[in-house]
Amino acid sequence: MLGAIPWAVVAAAFIAVVPLDAQVRPMSAEVPAPARARTPGASAADMARNWYGELQRLSGHLAQVHERALQNPELRRRRDALMQGIQQAMDAADPELRTLASRARQIPAEVQTAQRRGDAPRLRSLDREAAQIRARFMNVEAGVMRQPAVARQVRAYEELLRREMMRIEPLTESLLARSADLQRLLQAALGQQQD
């Protein structure tokens, strides 16, 4: 059921994307320390590396808190019901999504075959097709998430998740805020590099 459609986009609506294989500390251990302040002689690249490292540590810690929160059976049940409701709403909004999801699962094997053959035109074609499928899923998902009933369910789930994460890790709000700050800093640094 939920595996029939690539739900990575939907999952991102509930939590920040975090690397699950990042090294994490036990909840009782010290919360990841902030990156050191700008020191004389520290380059912008050094600061960006520090921010990125801190963001990785925070993300890993929050991922562990999130996983522990989902051990709560009621929270898991609510998440599954919400995901199923979103899937049904997306299917109703665009009945072709299931067919497109099936096609999307076939593309990686076709990419490998085209790579082995050195078929650059086929690779470009598959890349365009995959991008079109992703865009369609994202557009349908965005429309579904704007539906008042779905938005209410998402907010209710997010509030339950937030409370459970706060119970496990009282600094959750601060860690999320710091993660958002670090993401903004990194985006600004990347924007300066591109100018």
Side-chain angles (χ1 to χ4, degrees), residues 22-34 53-54 56-65 68 168-169 175:
Q23 184 175 357
V24 292
R25 296 180 176 136
M27 290 326 131
S28 60
E30 174 186 331
V31 172
E54 182 182 354
Q56 291 295 98
R57 288 186 302 276
L58 288 175
S59 295
H61 185 72
L62 288 167
Q64 188 179 26
V65 173
R68 284 193 53 199
I168 294 166
E169 170 59 88
L175 297 175

Side-chain angles (χ1 to χ4, degrees), residues 78 82 144-159:
R78 293 283 296 268
L82 176 61
V144 164
M145 298 302 269
R146 284 190 299 268
Q147 294 175 2
V150 173
R152 277 192 303 276
Q153 289 175 329
V154 168
R155 282 192 303 272
Y157 172 77
E158 287 174 340
E159 179 57 24

Side-chain angles (χ1 to χ4, degrees), residues 34-92:
R36 64 182 185 267
R38 182 178 271 278
T39 56
S43 71
D46 289 337
M47 290 306 298
R49 273 192 292 280
N50 288 338
W51 293 331
Y52 182 74
E54 182 182 354
L55 182 60
Q56 291 295 98
R57 288 186 302 276
L58 288 175
S59 295
H61 185 72
L62 288 167
Q64 188 179 26
V65 173
H66 180 256
E67 286 302 311
R68 284 193 53 199
L70 289 178
Q71 292 174 8
N72 177 319
E74 176 60 17
L75 187 61
R76 231 182 9 256
R77 185 192 67 72
R78 293 283 296 268
R79 181 209 51 200
D80 293 346
L82 176 61
M83 295 292 283
Q84 186 174 31
I86 291 171
Q87 178 180 349
Q88 289 169 350
M90 288 178 71
D91 289 343

Side-chain angles (χ1 to χ4, degrees), residues 57-178:
R57 288 186 302 276
L58 288 175
S59 295
H61 185 72
L62 288 167
Q64 188 179 26
V65 173
H66 180 256
E67 286 302 311
R68 284 193 53 199
L70 289 178
Q71 292 174 8
N72 177 319
E74 176 60 17
L75 187 61
R76 231 182 9 256
R77 185 192 67 72
R78 293 283 296 268
R79 181 209 51 200
D80 293 346
L82 176 61
M83 295 292 283
Q84 186 174 31
I86 291 171
Q87 178 180 349
Q88 289 169 350
M90 288 178 71
D91 289 343
D94 188 342
E96 293 181 31
L97 289 182
R98 287 193 181 273
T99 302
L100 289 172
S102 177
R103 175 64 188 132
R105 286 191 299 274
Q106 296 168 355
I107 290 175
E110 292 180 31
V111 165
Q112 288 179 345
T113 300
Q115 285 172 334
R116 279 195 305 273
R117 292 183 181 160
D119 189 345
R122 180 68 178 144
L123 285 171
R124 284 191 298 276
S125 172
L126 290 167
D127 186 52
R128 277 191 306 276
E129 183 181 5
Q132 290 170 347
I133 291 171
R134 276 191 303 273
R136 188 155 167 189
F137 268 90
M138 290 172 69
N139 287 335
V140 172
E141 183 219 7
V144 164
M145 298 302 269
R146 284 190 299 268
Q147 294 175 2
V150 173
R152 277 192 303 276
Q153 289 175 329
V154 168
R155 282 192 303 272
Y157 172 77
E158 287 174 340
E159 179 57 24
L160 285 174
L161 176 61
R162 185 190 68 78
R163 280 188 281 173
E164 184 64 14
M165 288 178 73
M166 290 287 292
R167 186 188 67 72
I168 294 166
E169 170 59 88
L171 296 175
T172 294
E173 298 275 344
S174 297
L175 297 175
L176 289 170
R178 179 61 181 161

